[in-house]
Every structure is written in structure tokens, then in C-alpha cells.
Amino acid sequence: MKDTVAASDPHRESVAELLIRLLASEDELGSFVDELAFMAAAEIGQDSQVSCGIMLVRNRRSTIVCGSDDAARRFEDIHTYLGAGPRVEAKKTGAIICVEDAEEEKRWRDFMEIAVLHDLRSLVAVPLDIDDTAQAVITFYAMQPHSFGEPTLSAVQRFVEPVKRSLRVAVRTARFAEAAEHRQRAMESRTVIDVAIGITMAQAACSQDEAVTILKRASSHRNIKLRTLAGELVNSLGQPEPITPFTE
């Protein structure tokens, strides 16, 4: 790959447009990261020889790993399988990792030996500190050595700044959506449990506290969740589970 970059700098506008599409279309976070990887490869690469992989790690959430093409996804999978390599090092140290020639690179030999078999020759891995709950690494892969000289590396560093900001907003948007979904489920569970308590009070001619105790004891005895038991009790009377009206 020829180590030149375009004089114009459309990165900010492109990332902003992508973020607007995310917010407007309510895409899932994984879809956003996948599209971001595709756009990043197109922005940095001067031809199809540059691929991009993005790994997003969130607290208490599944790690998202996306790639702009099959090659990027393959190299990301190798990182994940080995638990070692430039991407892993970038995340661990917070430093940009550049490999000029994978065939000559002495570090992470297990990764390099496998990656070279799949035609990888050079890469640059850039860590992104998203917020207190998330970290990411964006890695550019090339099939020719010395593909990330000073001009291209500078372009990468400029590009990742708006990428980091867009990921920060996307992560926060996803977190708010997940919290809303959690509240929705909690309210739905509470509603069906309340109905089951009422049914138990009527059937056993007991107080609310006594009905709660009866249901909890039955839940523990059958080793099932209280919400599941409540749903079964409501359904046993031939009634559908109640729906809780809920809007944000």
C-alpha cells in the first residue's frame, strides 16, 4: 500500500453522520461498531488491502468484536484465541502498538506466525479509553509491510479521536436503553407477582404478608424463580399474564 493520505479530512463529518444514523435508527451497539469498522477501513486504506477490527469491552457485558471484512475478523479471532498479540498489548498498556513487518517482528511470535500464514504483514493497534465502564481497541491490518508510516499513522491518530467520542456516546446510549429495558422487565415481574399474591390471598384466605410467604416457600421448594411461579399461578386460572403499561 502506498503510504499517502488524502489532503482533505472528512473523518469528523463521517463519524458524526454514522452516529446520527445510529441514534435515528436505534441500531444495536454491535451493529454500530460493525459499521464503524467498515467505515474506518475505507477512510484509512487507500485500497482494499487495509482492514479494520474493533474490540469493545464493557463492564459486566459481553465483549463486542467486529471487523470490516473476513480478514479483519480472522485476525481479531486470532487475538482472542491466543489471548496475546498487539491488540491485547495495546489494551493492557494503553499505548499505540505498531508492527512494521509481521515476518520480522520478534514480539508475540505465536500471533505473528499464525497471522503471516493468512497474509498479514503490518498493523497498528490503537487503544481507546471510552469511559469508566468501557475500553476499546481499533486495529488496522495491512497485507503489505511498512503500511503505517508517519503520514498514515498521523491520519489514524486524527481519525480515532472522533471515533472515540462516537463510541462514548454509543456506549452511553446503549447503557440507557439497557437500563430502561431492565426497569421494564422489573415492573412486568412485579405486576405478575402482585397478581399472584392477590390470587393466593383469595384462595388461602390469608393476609398479604402470609401470601408472600406462601409463594416464596413454594418457589424455594420447587427451585424456580418467584416470577416464574407467579406466572404459572396466573396461567393456571386460564388467564394471560398481565401487561404493565410502561413508557420512558
Side-chain angles (χ1 to χ4, degrees):
M1 182 185 72
K2 188 177 180 180
D3 188 21
T4 59
V5 293
S8 61
D9 185 10
H11 303 149
R12 292 179 183 273
E13 181 180 2
S14 298
V15 175
E17 289 174 350
L18 179 59
L19 181 56
I20 290 172
R21 288 201 302 275
L22 169 71
L23 298 175
S25 64
E26 298 182 352
D27 284 344
E28 293 184 355
L29 183 58
S31 298
F32 171 74
V33 176
D34 193 54
E35 188 174 355
L36 188 59
F38 182 81
M39 187 195 72
E43 291 286 343
I44 297 302
Q46 300 300 304
D47 51 44
S48 60
Q49 291 179 313
V50 170
S51 304
C52 176
I54 299 177
M55 178 187 68
L56 175 63
V57 181
R58 302 171 63 202
N59 293 349
R60 297 184 296 277
R61 298 290 178 182
S62 298
T63 297
I64 295 174
V65 180
C66 296
S68 60
D69 53 24
D70 289 342
R73 287 186 286 271
R74 183 182 304 115
F75 298 136
E76 291 292 302
D77 287 345
I78 295 171
H79 273 114
T80 301
Y81 174 75
L82 294 176
R87 187 196 75 184
V88 177
E89 188 73 10
K91 178 180 180 296
K92 179 181 178 181
T93 64
I96 296 175
I97 304 296
C98 188
V99 173
E100 295 185 357
D101 190 339
E103 289 188 351
E104 302 296 330
E105 179 61 61
K106 303 302 181 184
R107 300 169 293 177
W108 317 293
R109 286 312 306 167
D110 288 344
F111 174 86
M112 295 302 164
E113 289 174 3
I114 298 174
V116 166
L117 292 177
H118 294 284
D119 300 322
L120 176 69
R121 292 302 303 275
S122 57
L123 67 83
V124 58
V126 183
L128 306 176
D129 187 13
I130 306 303
D131 59 22
D132 292 340
T133 69
Q135 289 180 291
V137 178
I138 182 168
T139 308
F140 294 94
Y141 303 96
M143 306 307 160
Q144 295 184 16
H146 308 288
S147 293
F148 300 101
E150 184 58 35
T152 303
L153 186 57
S154 295
V156 167
Q157 291 174 307
R158 290 194 304 271
F159 178 71
V160 298
E161 284 305 313
V163 166
K164 180 168 65 175
R165 289 193 292 270
S166 68
L167 276 173
R168 183 176 296 127
V169 174
V171 165
R172 289 176 180 174
T173 300
R175 188 162 63 242
F176 293 150
E178 290 159 357
E181 182 179 0
H182 178 75
R183 289 193 297 271
Q184 170 74 32
R185 291 178 178 176
M187 290 186 67
E188 290 174 351
S189 294
R190 185 69 258 173
T191 298
V192 72
I193 290 172
D194 287 343
V195 172
I197 290 172
I199 293 172
T200 303
M201 290 172 64
Q203 291 180 340
C206 63
S207 68
Q208 180 176 344
D209 288 344
E210 290 171 333
V212 171
T213 300
I214 291 171
L215 290 173
K216 286 183 176 179
R217 187 180 298 121
S219 171
S220 177
H221 178 72
R222 294 182 55 190
N223 194 28
I224 61 175
K225 292 182 178 180
L226 182 59
R227 190 252 182 266
T228 302
L229 177 67
E232 290 181 356
L233 178 57
V234 173
N235 290 332
S236 70
L237 299 181
Q239 299 295 323
E241 292 187 13
I243 299 176
T244 303
F246 180 80
T247 58
E248 278 292 304

